[in-house]
């Protein structure tokens, strides 16, 4: 077996290679960040420290029970709450006294953040909480609450992704509440519009025609809309699709009622021709020339985005949400403006 001896490199080759590496990196931008003068760019889901939003904590103890290191310490006491309604029973709830995490024992598994059912624990990107003594790693509730202000907002959903179930349920419940309030407002507006002067002796009620509102056919029901209803729905915060649908339905109802009124008037005129003329002719001419009273729903109001401040203050004082209070205040302002226009028209008639 022959042993080959390595050839000896010429003198100074190794030195030149080292200087070449040095010259190669001499003019490059350094990759080292000069901490703490330069702050690092952290990932959005960095597990820096666990933050507490104590307003959401219900002391369910689920995080402390699931923690594999038993590094979460919670103390609480029970307190009584007054009854929500008169004559009701008092309630009790757990009030949080202490919430501490020993980060000297924590292994940053994130189980406590995942199992919290009330969104009271979050990951914060803060990482500068080193201490000179290991006992200082036990951080109490006030320090954990300060870190909650540094929690970044959740990332945006992907295109086409469904919103969280709790968000969708909250939106659906709010829309249902607003729809109920709008239905009450519509009923009140219809009641105001239904208030008409008592019929004369010669007038006959429309109910005797035997025709129901649902049986009347209206041409062009898919094209026309009631602009006043549309403006009210938009002012109440409804979507354009819902506002247009309700405005179409309101227009169709108004047209059907107008047709029924015309039929009733035609029948009344036909019945008058066979009578012996018991009523004076002057009264008949006056009733024929009297213009029909305009309904409240048919009045259009410009600038339906205003609100009735008194109604808004009453709703807020009653504990209603700001959105609900603003919707009712807008509807009240629109009704007041419509009634004012009707009063002005009545006052200006000769």
């Amino acid at each position: 077996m022959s042993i080959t001896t390595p050839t000896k490199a010429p003198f100074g080759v190794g030195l030149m290679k080292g200087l070449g590496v040095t010259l190669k990196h001499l003019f490059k931008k350094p990759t080292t960040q000069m901490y703490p003068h330069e702050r690092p760019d952290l990932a959005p889901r960095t597990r820096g420290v666990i933050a507490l939003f104590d307003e959401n904590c219900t002391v369910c103890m689920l995080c402390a029970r699931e923690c594999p290191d038993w590094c979460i310490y919670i103390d609480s006491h029970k307190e009584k709450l007054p009854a929500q309604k008169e004559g009701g029973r008092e309630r009790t709830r757990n009030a949080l006294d202490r919430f501490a995490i020993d980060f000297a024992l924590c292994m940053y598994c994130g189980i406590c953040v995942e199992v919290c059912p009330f969104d009271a624990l979050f990951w914060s990107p803060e990482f500068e909480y080193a201490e000179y003594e290991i006992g200082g790693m036990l951080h109490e509730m006030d320090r954990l609450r300060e870190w909650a202000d540094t929690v970044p907002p959740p990332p945006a959903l992907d295109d086409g992704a469904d919103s969280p179930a709790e968000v969708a349920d909250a939106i659906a419940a709010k829309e249902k509440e607003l729809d109920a309030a709008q239905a009450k407002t519509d009923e009140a507006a219809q009641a105001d519009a239904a208030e008409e002067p008592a019929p004369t002796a010669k007038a006959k009620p429309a109910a005797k025609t035997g025709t129901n509102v649902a049986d009347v056919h209206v041409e062009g029901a898919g094209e026309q809309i009631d602009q006043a209803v549309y403006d009210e729905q938009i002012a109440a915060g409804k979507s354009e699709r819902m506002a247009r649908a309700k405005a179409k339905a309101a227009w169709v109802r108004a047209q059907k009622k107008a047709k029924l009124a015309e039929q009733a008037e035609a029948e009344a005129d036909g019945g008058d021709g066979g009578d012996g003329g018991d009523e004076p002719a002057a009264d008949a001419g006056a009733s024929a020339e009297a213009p029909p009273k305009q309904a409240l729903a048919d009045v259009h109001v410009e600038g339906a985005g205003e609100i009735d401040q008194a109604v808004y203050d009453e709703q807020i004082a009653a504990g209603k949400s700001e959105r609900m209070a603003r919707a009712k205040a807008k509807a009240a302002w629109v009704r007041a403006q419509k009634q004012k226009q009707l009063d002005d028209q009545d006052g200006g008639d000769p």
Side-chain angles (χ1 to χ4, degrees), residues 74-271:
I74 302 175
D75 292 333
S76 64
H77 70 278
K78 292 186 178 295
E79 63 180 14
K80 290 187 177 182
L81 297 178
Q84 292 183 344
K85 297 181 179 179
E86 185 177 357
R89 186 174 59 182
E90 294 183 348
R91 297 175 298 154
T92 60
R93 73 168 184 179
N94 292 327
L96 184 63
D97 293 332
R98 185 195 181 200
F99 195 106
I101 300 179
D102 191 354
F103 288 98
L105 300 177
C106 180
M107 64 179 184
Y108 302 91
C109 63
I111 293 178
C112 58
V113 178
E114 295 295 332
V115 301
C116 180
F118 301 105
D119 291 336
L121 296 175
F122 299 90
W123 279 112
S124 170
E126 291 292 327
F127 60 91
E128 298 174 321
Y129 54 95
E131 300 290 341
Y132 289 102
E133 295 181 359
I134 194 170
M137 296 297 291
L138 179 64
H139 294 292
E140 297 292 337
M141 185 167 58
D142 53 350
R143 185 73 185 279
L144 300 178
R145 183 61 183 84
E146 292 178 0
W147 282 327
D149 298 333
T150 63
V151 175
L157 297 175
D158 296 335
D159 294 338
D162 296 333
S163 58
E166 57 272 12
V167 175
D169 293 342
I171 293 176
K174 198 64 178 178
E175 289 182 351
K176 185 177 180 181
E177 185 180 356
L178 290 175
D179 290 341
Q182 187 63 32
K184 292 183 179 179
T185 304
D186 294 341
E187 290 178 1
Q190 292 178 3
D192 295 340
E195 293 180 358
E196 296 181 356
T200 59
K202 301 297 293 181
K204 294 184 180 180
K208 292 184 179 180
T209 59
T211 306
N212 195 5
V213 177
D215 300 332
V216 180
H217 177 68
V218 177
E219 298 292 338
E223 301 175 356
Q224 304 295 332
I225 65 172
D226 190 330
Q227 189 64 35
V229 175
Y230 179 81
D231 296 339
E232 289 180 4
Q233 296 296 320
I234 292 297
K238 300 294 182 182
S239 63
E240 184 178 0
R241 182 179 179 182
M242 182 177 294
R244 186 170 293 276
K246 290 192 174 183
K248 285 182 179 179
W251 184 85
V252 170
R253 288 196 303 269
Q255 294 298 317
K256 289 183 176 182
K257 289 181 179 179
K259 281 194 172 184
L260 287 179
E262 291 177 0
Q263 294 177 6
E265 185 177 357
E267 291 181 1
D269 293 340

